[in-house]
Amino acid sequence: MTANTQALHQAIVDTLPQTEKIVNTVVKVHGENHSNLAQVKTDFNELSSALKADDTDSARGAQARLRASAEDFVTPADGCEGFKMMNDQLSTLDDAVTALLKA
């Protein structure tokens, strides 16, 4: 892994706790009305674990599952600002993971 790749990997890992908090909050608030959110949480946790373990094969699969369960990070009409923030953070994470996996 090059220095740039290591820096990108660490930057991604550093954002995971904040993203995890908002995912947990949105699941708690909206999970009853949006059944896909339980799977979003599971897929995010799998991606997070794979990134922390530097397991690119698992990360690639978890990333694809997260994108699907989060419906390509599109906030539903009844989603609050927190829901939008979660999707924005997950989309940013998705872009960063894609860059990392291509590096």
Side-chain angles (χ1 to χ4, degrees):
M1 200 182 287
T2 67
N4 286 342
T5 304
Q6 286 176 335
L8 176 57
H9 181 260
Q10 189 58 51
I12 292 169
V13 170
D14 289 348
T15 68
L16 295 175
Q18 177 185 358
T19 304
E20 181 180 22
K21 280 183 182 180
I22 194 155
V23 167
N24 289 337
T25 299
V26 171
V27 169
K28 183 178 176 182
V29 172
H30 293 281
E32 189 174 306
N33 295 328
H34 297 275
S35 59
N36 66 307
L37 289 175
Q39 190 61 49
V40 168
K41 182 176 178 177
T42 297
D43 294 337
F44 170 78
N45 288 336
E46 289 176 7
L47 177 58
S48 179
S49 294
L51 289 168
K52 290 175 184 174
D54 200 19
D55 182 345
T56 57
D57 289 336
S58 292
R60 191 172 279 112
Q63 177 192 25
R65 289 188 300 277
L66 177 59
R67 190 180 305 120
S69 64
E71 300 173 344
D72 292 321
F73 316 114
V74 175
T75 303
D78 66 336
C80 67
E81 187 61 31
F83 207 130
K84 181 181 181 330
M85 189 183 312
M86 177 193 75
N87 279 331
D88 289 348
Q89 287 184 12
L90 291 176
S91 180
T92 299
L93 174 64
D94 184 68
D95 291 344
V97 170
T98 296
L100 178 66
L101 295 175
K102 287 182 178 179

